Amino acid sequence: PICPHRKIIDIAIMAVPTMAKMPSSAASVIPKTMAESLTSTSPQASLLNLASASEDAALKLAMELSASLSSPSTTSYSTYKDSGVTNSTAVTTKRYPIALPESIQRYEKQKQRKETKNASTPVVTTKKKKAEEDDDDLHGLDAASACAESILSSLSKIASGGSKASTEMRQLERERRETDEEANDVQDALNLRRLASMGADALSSRRYADSAMAVRDYNRVNATARGKTLAGDFAQSSHERTRSVLRQAVLERYETSVTTGDIAGLSELTPLLSMLDLETKGVELYLKYTQSTVSAQMEAGPDYNVELSEEEKQGLSRAAIKRKEAELTAKLKASGAVITGNVCQQLAKVYNTAVTHLRHHLPMVAYALGDADGDAALVQLVHVEVEKRAVAIIRSYTRERELALHETKAERIANAIEERYTSGVGLQETSLGPLTSLGLGVGGDSAQTALERAKLGASEDDCGFTAEVGQLVDVDAAMEEAALCLQHTESYERFIRHAVDEVTKARKLRLSQKIEEKRHKREIEEQKRLEQEADTGTRLTPAEEEALKKKQQEEEKEDEELMKKPIEILPPHTKLNDIVAEVGGYYSGLERSLLLAGMQRAFMNANFPDERHYSPMAVINSVSGGGGGGQQNVIPQHGEAGCNALQTSVIEECLYAAQRSTLRAFATGHTGTASVAANYCADILGRFLLEVLNKRAEMGANLLKPGEGLLDGRGGLGQAAQNLMNTAQKGLRGGANVVRGKGGNNPGVGGGKNLDHEETPEVIQARIAMGVARACANTNDLEVAVEYTRRLEKKFASEIDSSYPRGHETEQLRMCVKSLGPVTDSFRDASNSAIQNLISVIMPRVRSIVNDAVGQDGAGAGTASFGAVMGGVGGGMGGGGGGIGGGGSRFNYDLDEAAFELAQISEGYMDKLCSSLDDLINPLRVHLAPRLADILVIGVLGGASKRIEAAIRRTQFTALGALSLDSDIRNFINYSKDRVDSPELKSNVSLCKACKPLARLAQIALLMNVDDLDDVLDLIASSKRKGNWDLKLDDAKAFLNLRVDFEGRKVNELLRVQGED
């Protein structure tokens, strides 16, 4: 293999002859980059050009550095270039201040000798002469070595110059820092002298604020030992003397201001204490002043200032008003009257004094004495003074009012009230008859007197509440006083806790500022240490660095612990909280008993109602729609469901009592008391009131029982309605007062009017209708309770949002309020159960009507319809026709063509059935809430449909009879859609989903009208796919077998195959 260096040697040898032939001007063209060097004619020329360029660069850098770092007389590179030196000796000395390598010096000498020889001797062109000249030139390797040594020399020059420059620059930087430190020390010395002089001059002029600021600024000057030395001993001694005298003078004046209660002097001197390092002493004196001032104001005598009322001020000028008030005040003071005020006024005086003092003094104390925790001490002292007096006042109040004893009695009475009404004892019928609970059926003076006597006796039997606790009005006033007491205390508690939070935040802010200052100071010291090490060239040993790092970590840890360390200004639970919780417990028990007593009064009034006890239903639209109270209340038109619906005053009185009781507890601001009140409200409404309303709804349903109550039965008018007529007639014959409306014209209950003739049928009809309406009102109360409870929950939630701060306790209170949601649902369920109970009460009459219509169970027996007495009550619906069985076609579908045509032109059983159902349900529809009326109609239709289906199973059908059945069922469905009120039930699909028996009738009619048995399977399959087929295969088989034109064998065979599939 060929040596890789051999090729380089050959190139260098071949390049030697070309060096001699290079023009002299080529040496002066110096390339600046490697790319420019590649354009040379030979490698040797490229090396020479690079060497020359690096030499010039090194020369320029060395001469410029030498000129900038040494004496100004040194010649710079630009001066050298501009001088135009051409002498070779001069060039050698000027161009190379550092000695060149020996090979380069030899090459330069030969080059100069060659140039001189060429200039004096003509050019020889012979080969011999050319060879001689080539021998005189350097060998190519020598030239390459010379160039490399030149480049290395240039780099050495640059390195030596940079090192020298770096050393001198560091020296200059060190000198600059020393000069700056000297200037800073001089400046600090001048500041110290100026501040010492200013402090002394201000003190001599008794300008203590200016003197204190000068002392503070003097202490803040961070002067070094040299700076203090430059300031002189006089400045330091003057400062110490001024500081000592000023501290003594300020303390003496401050103690005098504290003793005399000079608020102006305190305001002037308190900010000076922190400037003179007197914060601890200042806190002690300021707390002494606060204690004396607050105690004096809290224990001050009564306020004898008299203010005239607005009525007394009328007609008097301002001067006359002031003179009269001054005269009355003087008379009051002269009389020596003792004015103590009630518990609320006493607490207000204590709390207002504390709050006013903190609002005026806490900001200044936090600013001036915060570093010594003066703000925290001030809050603690004020709260101790307040707690000491407030606890004593509240304990005295509980002893004087005997809250514990009354609460125990109230609890026992509340349990007795619950037991009385949940068991139904308090709702039993009186000896005057069941209609008394509706305000009906009382006639004659003796009966009226008996009613008043019974009502008075019931009001006196209040489970001992009046005797043991007091009158409702007096107890309510006592609850107002207790609530106001709790409200004042809770308002102060919120203020003092807010003040504690603000003081804690300010303390954390001051600590964070101090820690940041310490951190900044450590950074400055670390920077100085690093600069000193760079100047001296020394470094700390590893042990010293580890110790320094450990010290810094310990300081940072101490700072973190200081920030995290809490300061307990007030404990989480104070004595004031304990006494408030105790009073809140008494208050909650009394409030519960008062709520139950208020409901008891409402129930007593409901047992002996008058016309004031009933009112039109106020939430018809919102309840029927089921969407809350956000909708507009649209009044139903005459004849529509709910057009004459009434509600009793029980719901409004009970819900108002619950709202008043709970909102009063909310107004206290005490979350514990408010939570207990909310729980009591939800418990009483969802358990006690719900039970009472259920029993009242059951009583109302019993009063409506057909044949025994106000609704007519199979034999005509109900027994209760008949008794009502008999009682009224007996009272009228005796010339007694008939129970009428307030103005004497209303045929209801209320006032009286002397009559000497029997009541007309219209008056009796109106009285019975009023009885039905009032019986239905008991059921409507449950529906009204749903809406009122929903509104109550919304109002409570709004009160929480506007009156209580965010926090864990507030969320607990909100959850207590949300417990009213299940109460609303329970009222809804109870309303549904009540209407189902009413349906079960009237269902025997529905069955009787259907049986009479289809000709079963005594068909043809004539009855006097309720419409004969109640005609017109249903708004024209049904017309109140005569009895069933008087004429028209009967229930028969085994029709030939003649019978079918007769059935088409005559009144069928379905028309009479619908008319009789109208006589039964119309008096209820118009007096029930629309939603309840729809449920009632659906229930009645369901019962009638089941009865019709049973009748269908017992008859035979022809094809024409099936068509007649389809027509009758369609009429019945249309009748059903006309009687429901909800728009959602106006379609066949929705109505059939709501009433499954009616849907079965429609499916039976559809099944019976198939033309061919082969279509049955398709009909059943398509109906099942649509989800509207409820008939089983056995039912379908039984109904198809009723068709006289269908063979039973084929029907059974067809449906058996379907069943197997």
Side-chain angles (χ1 to χ4, degrees), residues 483-532:
L484 194 58
C485 171
L486 294 173
Q487 185 185 58
H488 288 343
T489 306
E490 184 62 25
S491 298
Y492 166 76
E493 180 70 16
R494 291 188 185 184
F495 172 81
I496 201 69
R497 293 295 177 183
H498 175 72
V500 168
D501 293 340
E502 293 301 317
V503 169
T504 304
K505 291 179 182 178
R507 182 175 180 272
K508 288 183 178 180
L509 182 60
R510 290 193 298 267
L511 289 177
S512 62
Q513 290 177 349
K514 290 181 180 180
I515 292 174
E516 183 64 22
E517 291 176 0
K518 290 172 63 177
R519 186 187 62 80
H520 184 64
K521 186 176 180 180
R522 287 197 299 266
E523 290 179 354
I524 294 177
E525 293 177 353
E526 181 68 14
Q527 184 66 25
K528 288 184 178 180
R529 185 183 65 82
L530 294 177
E531 292 176 354
Q532 185 177 3

Side-chain angles (χ1 to χ4, degrees), residues 444-466:
D445 291 336
S446 59
Q448 190 71 22
T449 304
L451 176 63
E452 295 295 336
R453 189 184 306 111
K455 187 173 182 180
L456 180 61
S459 63
E460 292 177 354
D461 185 14
D462 58 354
C463 297
F465 184 86
T466 303

Side-chain angles (χ1 to χ4, degrees), residues 176-236:
R176 183 191 64 77
R177 285 199 302 271
E178 293 176 355
T179 304
D180 291 342
E181 291 175 358
E182 292 177 359
N184 292 335
D185 291 339
V186 172
Q187 182 66 32
D188 292 343
L190 293 176
N191 288 335
L192 292 176
R193 291 184 179 182
R194 178 177 59 82
L195 293 173
S197 177
M198 287 176 57
D201 294 343
L203 180 61
S204 62
S205 302
R206 294 188 177 182
R207 291 183 284 110
Y208 297 116
D210 295 339
S211 179
M213 286 189 288
V215 171
R216 178 197 61 190
D217 294 341
Y218 188 98
N219 293 330
R220 288 181 178 179
V221 175
N222 190 18
T224 61
R226 182 171 57 184
K228 293 179 180 179
T229 303
L230 292 175
D233 296 337
F234 172 77
Q236 183 66 24

Side-chain angles (χ1 to χ4, degrees), residues 725 729 732 740 747 755 757-767 869:
M725 294 175 62
Q729 290 172 359
L732 287 171
R740 293 188 180 276
L755 297 176
H757 58 83
E758 295 184 358
E759 288 186 343
T760 62
E762 290 78 9
V763 175
I764 297 175
Q765 171 188 327
R767 288 170 60 82
V869 179

Side-chain angles (χ1 to χ4, degrees), residues 558-578:
E558 291 177 359
D559 294 341
E560 292 179 359
E561 292 178 353
L562 185 62
M563 284 293 297
K564 294 179 180 179
K565 183 180 179 181
I567 177 174
E568 188 180 78
I569 301 176
L570 292 181
H573 205 74
T574 62
K575 294 181 180 179
L576 188 59
N577 298 138
D578 294 336

Side-chain angles (χ1 to χ4, degrees), residues 265-280:
L266 290 175
S267 301
E268 177 185 357
L269 297 175
T270 300
L272 307 184
L273 299 178
S274 60
M275 303 178 187
L276 302 175
D277 299 331
L278 295 174
E279 294 97 333
T280 304

Side-chain angles (χ1 to χ4, degrees), residues 550-788:
K550 185 176 181 180
K551 181 181 178 182
Q552 292 178 352
Q553 292 177 350
E554 291 177 355
E555 291 178 354
E556 292 177 357
K557 185 176 181 180
E558 291 177 359
D559 294 341
E560 292 179 359
E561 292 178 353
L562 185 62
M563 284 293 297
K564 294 179 180 179
K565 183 180 179 181
I567 177 174
E568 188 180 78
I569 301 176
L570 292 181
H573 205 74
T574 62
K575 294 181 180 179
L576 188 59
N577 298 138
D578 294 336
I579 191 65
V580 168
E582 180 181 349
V583 174
Y586 297 148
Y587 169 84
S588 300
L590 290 170
E591 195 71 77
R592 173 175 175 266
S593 178
L594 179 61
L595 174 57
L596 289 172
M599 290 185 174
Q600 177 181 238
R601 182 176 61 178
F603 300 151
M604 289 180 180
N605 294 333
N607 289 337
F608 304 94
D610 54 22
E611 64 179 3
R612 296 172 299 177
H613 183 68
Y614 298 94
S615 61
M617 195 170 176
V619 290
I620 290 178
N621 187 70
S622 59
V623 171
S624 62
Q631 305 174 1
Q632 295 182 353
N633 191 17
V634 180
I635 300 177
Q637 299 299 319
H638 179 68
E640 294 182 355
C643 63
N644 295 329
L646 299 179
Q647 68 181 54
T648 68
S649 60
V650 171
I651 288 299
E652 290 187 348
E653 292 181 12
C654 293
L655 268 294
Y656 173 76
Q659 174 180 310
R660 176 179 173 80
S661 172
T662 310
L663 288 181
R664 181 161 54 195
F666 280 15
T668 63
H670 191 257
T671 53
T673 303
S675 298
V676 173
N679 289 332
Y680 279 156
C681 177
D683 176 68
I684 292 174
L685 293 181
R687 185 175 52 83
F688 176 67
L689 181 59
L690 177 63
E691 185 68 22
V692 173
L693 293 180
N694 278 331
K695 293 185 179 299
R696 286 178 54 82
E698 184 178 353
M699 292 172 56
N702 293 334
L703 290 174
L704 293 172
K705 189 173 183 179
E708 298 179 9
L710 293 171
L711 297 180
D712 68 323
R714 188 168 184 178
L717 287 177
Q719 185 63 37
Q722 195 69 37
N723 293 338
L724 177 61
M725 294 175 62
N726 296 334
T727 304
Q729 290 172 359
K730 289 177 182 179
L732 287 171
R733 291 191 185 98
N737 292 330
V738 178
V739 182
R740 293 188 180 276
K742 209 171 190 180
N745 297 323
N746 187 352
V749 296
K753 184 176 181 180
N754 293 328
L755 297 176
D756 56 358
H757 58 83
E758 295 184 358
E759 288 186 343
T760 62
E762 290 78 9
V763 175
I764 297 175
Q765 171 188 327
R767 288 170 60 82
I768 296 175
M770 181 62 69
V772 174
R774 292 181 176 181
C776 292
N778 292 339
T779 305
N780 292 337
D781 284 346
L782 286 166
E783 197 72 1
V784 175
V786 173
E787 179 63 21
Y788 280 6

Side-chain angles (χ1 to χ4, degrees), residues 91-105:
V91 169
T92 303
T93 57
K94 291 292 183 182
R95 283 176 59 85
Y96 307 113
I98 300 176
L100 293 175
E102 186 175 338
S103 59
I104 297 179
Q105 294 179 7

